[in-house]
Amino acid sequence: RFRLEAEVTSRLQHPGVVPVYGFGTGPDANLFYAMRFIEGDTLSEAIGRYHDSKTKEAASRNTRESEFRELLGRFVALCKTIAYAHNRGIVHRDIKPVNVMLGRYGETIVIDWGLAIPVDRHGVFKQSGEQTLMPSSGSDSSDRGGFAGTPAYMSPEQVSGRSELTPASDIYSLGVTLYKIMLGHVPFAGKHGQIWEAIREGNYKPPTQVDRNLSRSLEAVCVKAMSLRPRDR
């Protein structure tokens, strides 16, 4: 799995993926790979600052709107990076704000591809013109899906442990990420078992039911991405 992570990360040639400079074995026989050092905050930290109650009180309306648009811009950049990975036949499986680094010069970088898996490309992904990334490391692994990810961001099919995942699973996690950008918290809470049951049933409050001042158009994007059936996302 470590070899697979190193290979996938190094072969995804996109500004939204950390460049990998080298891979090898150390004196202690442990594997390592070297990548660019990223300075900045995570998207999770930026969301937390935006929704912090003290920050809200001190900021003007124009400042708040500007900060929110900045978060949405970062989200769009995240979506484009994941779209590129999907068009290379790679599903991340662990998309969440803490796995998105915001560089000091406007970079939006998706990190931690440790759960990434290669998948078969179909439909629009097959027509993209990109070449399928076929990793030599771990390509014969039986881990093509299954129960893996971060509980509150997992798709219904991940929670159910289905053996075959598609890009739609990542799209669901993007929907949860957008939900957190809009409200400052994820749609599901409680113990793991409660979270997984709520995800399987689609039991959560749409954003405007929590805050009526939010954009209904933005809510529509979020809710569609979080559809129970993969083909509806």
Side-chain angles (χ1 to χ4, degrees):
R1 174 149 299 285
F2 188 80
R3 287 180 181 274
L4 180 61
E5 178 182 1
E7 183 176 358
V8 166
T9 306
S10 65
R11 292 180 60 189
L12 289 176
Q13 300 294 313
H14 189 277
V17 181
V18 186
V20 172
Y21 300 137
F23 174 80
T25 303
D28 54 2
N30 286 328
L31 298 173
F32 74 88
Y33 66 91
M35 58 170 57
R36 176 186 165 197
F37 180 72
I38 306 298
E39 293 187 87
D41 295 329
T42 65
L43 179 58
S44 180
E45 291 170 321
I47 294 171
R49 282 195 302 270
Y50 173 77
H51 287 280
D52 181 75
S53 57
K54 293 182 180 179
T55 303
K56 285 182 180 180
E57 294 174 2
S60 67
R61 180 176 179 180
N62 287 341
T63 299
R64 295 280 298 164
E65 290 181 355
S66 176
E67 291 174 348
F68 186 65
R69 287 182 177 276
E70 172 69 18
L71 288 176
L72 290 181
R74 298 291 194 167
F75 177 73
V76 170
L78 162 62
C79 290
K80 289 180 177 179
T81 300
I82 297 302
Y84 167 76
H86 290 169
N87 280 283
R88 296 296 308 277
I90 297 295
V91 169
H92 187 284
R93 284 204 300 176
D94 198 19
I95 297 170
K96 54 186 177 182
V98 76
N99 279 345
V100 181
M101 291 291 299
L102 309 183
R104 296 169 59 186
Y105 301 100
E107 311 98 313
T108 301
I109 300 172
V110 183
I111 61 173
D112 199 354
W113 295 80
L115 293 180
I117 54 171
V119 297
D120 296 329
R121 296 197 298 156
H122 301 286
V124 294
F125 302 109
K126 191 71 173 179
Q127 301 166 13
S128 68
E130 298 286 348
Q131 291 186 340
T132 302
L133 197 165
M134 301 179 65
S136 58
S137 304
S139 59
D140 60 344
S141 171
S142 60
D143 181 16
R144 299 278 291 176
F147 193 88
T150 300
Y153 293 87
M154 292 167 68
S155 66
E157 55 269 27
Q158 284 175 282
V159 168
S160 300
R162 296 182 194 173
S163 59
E164 291 287 339
L165 297 182
T166 69
S169 294
D170 279 350
I171 292 173
Y172 185 94
S173 301
L174 288 170
V176 178
T177 298
L178 178 57
Y179 190 103
K180 185 168 184 178
I181 289 174
M182 296 174 71
L183 289 165
H185 58 80
V186 292
F188 309 105
K191 296 181 179 179
H192 286 180
Q194 295 171 316
I195 291 174
W196 296 326
E197 182 179 359
I199 290 173
R200 282 192 291 264
E201 296 177 355
N203 184 18
Y204 71 94
K205 289 184 177 180
T208 59
Q209 287 189 20
V210 181
D211 184 348
R212 289 183 292 179
N213 296 317
L214 293 173
S215 164
R216 291 192 176 275
S217 297
L218 203 55
E219 176 185 64
V221 175
C222 176
V223 171
K224 181 175 177 59
M226 291 179 61
S227 298
L228 282 178
R229 298 186 302 181
R231 66 175 179 270
D232 292 335
R233 296 174 199 152

